[in-house]
Amino acid sequence: GTANGRILLEREFLPSLDGSILFVGVNYYTDFYCRLVKDPDNFHTLDVDEGVIQDGSPYGHFVCNVADFELHAEQPLYDNVVFFGVLGHADSPWEISVEDAEIKRCIEKVAQLVRPGGTLLLGPATQTRSKAYWDEIFRSNLLQNYDLLTLKQIDINYIWHGKRQH
């Protein structure tokens, strides 16, 4: 992508990740993301839209609403979960959640998918929800098991990066 948040994601964040990764939110401009990480075989994607399957990871792609995603019994938690650019957009066809309760349910779900010691990256847009709204989410008990690593706004994305406590 050309947005500064995407540039950070593509040039710095994804290449720094070790271990298994779940990347939530797929589009034509994410189809190469599996090649940016250290271990592409452990890069999985998830999206609610069946129409973007071809843009998901060839190593594992799931189709469902992230709030309803369940790991299979034999599948371990992820080392890293990236939930970037999915929530908070104005008039976007991919906006899966606009109600507060649904937004919180999505954040709660992705926070549960990370193994202790793993990382979670959230990057909602500030188009439909203010920075203050996201600050409340980031400080809420939804992320109480995480230590904050990074908090910054880049263009429309408000980026929160945390490490799950042991």
Side-chain angles (χ1 to χ4, degrees):
T2 57
N4 289 329
R6 288 262 166 216
I7 291 169
L8 172 78
L9 192 66
E10 294 167 6
R11 293 185 185 167
E12 295 177 32
F13 186 73
L14 289 173
S16 75
L17 296 180
D18 286 313
S20 60
I21 301 162
L22 178 65
F23 189 92
V24 181
V26 175
N27 212 316
Y28 69 92
Y29 49 81
T30 65
D31 66 348
F32 66 98
Y33 279 13
C34 66
R35 296 190 306 268
L36 299 178
V37 300
K38 293 176 182 175
D39 187 4
D41 292 348
N42 285 319
F43 186 86
H44 297 166
T45 52
L46 183 150
D47 199 282
V48 69
D49 183 2
E50 289 183 6
V52 296
I53 290 173
Q54 72 280 359
D55 299 314
S57 174
Y59 306 103
H61 180 76
F62 305 98
V63 177
C64 71
N65 183 318
V66 66
D68 300 323
F69 181 65
E70 296 293 332
L71 292 172
H72 299 292
E74 68 279 356
Q75 185 177 357
L77 295 172
Y78 285 93
D79 294 309
N80 307 279
V81 174
V82 181
F83 191 41
F84 184 93
V86 178
L87 299 175
H89 289 279
D91 303 321
S92 295
W94 64 82
E95 187 71 20
I96 62 168
S97 179
V98 294
E99 301 295 325
D100 285 343
E102 280 297 301
I103 289 171
K104 289 175 182 173
R105 198 164 78 97
C106 289
I107 302 277
E108 180 178 40
K109 174 54 76 172
V110 294
Q112 293 171 353
L113 295 172
V114 179
R115 70 160 178 80
T119 68
L120 174 63
L121 179 80
L122 305 173
T126 55
Q127 292 173 309
T128 61
R129 305 283 182 186
S130 68
K131 189 175 171 183
Y133 173 84
W134 293 114
D135 278 332
E136 284 185 39
I137 295 288
F138 297 158
R139 286 192 304 261
S140 75
N141 64 351
L142 297 171
L143 300 170
Q144 68 184 349
N145 296 324
Y146 284 82
D147 294 322
L148 179 64
L149 299 173
T150 305
L151 181 64
K152 62 182 163 185
Q153 184 154 4
I154 300 178
D155 295 333
I156 64 167
N157 294 105
Y158 195 28
I159 299 169
W160 179 97
H161 180 217
K163 183 175 183 176
R164 187 165 180 185
Q165 300 163 356
H166 289 279

